[in-house]
Amino acid sequence: MEEQFILRVPPSVAERIERLLNEDPSCSEDKSLDLSFSDDGRTGTFVIGNENFPASLLDLPCVVESYKTYDDSVLIKTADVGQMIMVREPDDAAPDAVEYRHGLTPPMRDARKRRFRREPDLNPELVRRVEDDLLNISAGGPTETVDVEVAEPEKNGEANARNANKKTAPAPVAQPGDVPDAGANAGEPDRSDSDDSDDSV
């Protein structure tokens, strides 16, 4: 699998990149492309020709699969794309979060808010205590925040009194047509299917 990302640039920069890719680089006025990031790995600078543009590395709200084809018939998956480099105009404000709120297509606009389940409101202190308890349990130690309740064994008298209050189910009543004729099979033992086999062999 390859490593890929989405490069999103302003329309004016997109035209210059397309011109640079389609024409002979020696004839183009924009002879170079460069992209560099600062130490935090999230902010950087995109350079085309002699102009600099601010860039930000953003996480997409969902993974996008990319494919390639050699015969316009069979598609081969090449990568899972999860990040996008957004190049901005110099006067545009930088994004305030590391996750981009929209997807790549119009139906995925504001995808994090409209299409995904809301993150639960969890108390960080509760999460930390539960995590510490799980680590203690896995190490064989006791827990600190679990209340233990010990149940006393029942006495025989209380159990018998409870059982006496329960009603027993009545025995089924035999119907006259259900009783088999006692004289028909008198003296013959019950036979199974294996008794019908031929013993002469």
Side-chain angles (χ1 to χ4, degrees):
M1 295 262 290
E2 301 174 1
E3 292 186 7
Q4 301 178 4
F5 60 87
I6 306 293
L7 179 64
R8 179 166 281 183
V9 295
S12 60
V13 178
E15 293 173 2
R16 294 169 65 179
I17 292 175
E18 186 176 5
R19 209 177 314 126
L20 179 62
L21 294 175
N22 293 333
E23 297 176 359
D24 186 8
S26 60
C27 300
S28 176
E29 52 189 44
D30 298 323
K31 296 185 179 179
S32 64
L33 285 176
D34 189 26
L35 180 64
S36 60
F37 282 92
S38 59
D39 293 336
D40 64 355
R42 289 286 179 177
T43 58
T45 304
F46 179 79
V47 180
I48 180 168
N50 295 326
E51 288 190 65
N52 295 346
F53 295 91
S56 300
L57 179 66
L58 302 174
D59 297 334
L60 293 173
C62 58
V63 174
V64 180
E65 296 178 347
S66 67
Y67 295 85
K68 69 169 65 168
T69 181
Y70 296 104
D71 56 1
D72 293 331
S73 176
V74 177
L75 294 175
I76 301 169
K77 180 179 175 181
T78 56
D80 287 325
V81 182
Q83 291 183 317
M84 174 180 65
I85 296 176
M86 181 189 289
V87 178
R88 308 181 311 274
E89 294 287 352
D91 53 348
D92 289 346
D96 54 353
V98 297
E99 185 178 59
Y100 192 56
R101 55 185 292 207
H102 309 298
L104 299 178
T105 58
M108 291 295 289
R109 181 166 182 78
D110 208 6
R112 176 59 65 187
K113 185 176 182 181
R114 293 191 308 117
R115 295 187 175 265
F116 297 133
R117 182 175 58 187
R118 189 174 64 87
E119 294 181 1
D121 297 329
L122 293 177
N123 183 0
E125 180 62 26
L126 175 64
V127 173
R128 188 195 61 76
R129 284 199 329 250
V130 171
E131 183 180 10
D132 291 342
D133 286 344
L134 288 175
L135 291 174
N136 286 339
I137 291 171
S138 64
T143 61
E144 298 178 0
T145 59
V146 176
D147 296 331
V148 178
E149 180 179 335
V150 178
E152 296 182 5
E154 296 180 347
K155 296 179 181 177
N156 290 336
E158 295 176 358
N160 292 337
R162 247 191 319 249
N163 290 337
N165 291 335
K166 294 180 181 176
K167 294 182 179 179
T168 58
V173 178
Q175 300 294 333
D178 295 340
V179 179
D181 187 9
N185 292 332
E188 277 189 36
D190 291 338
R191 297 179 65 184
S192 63
D193 292 340
S194 60
D195 294 338
D196 295 335
S197 62
D198 190 6
D199 295 336
S200 60
V201 179

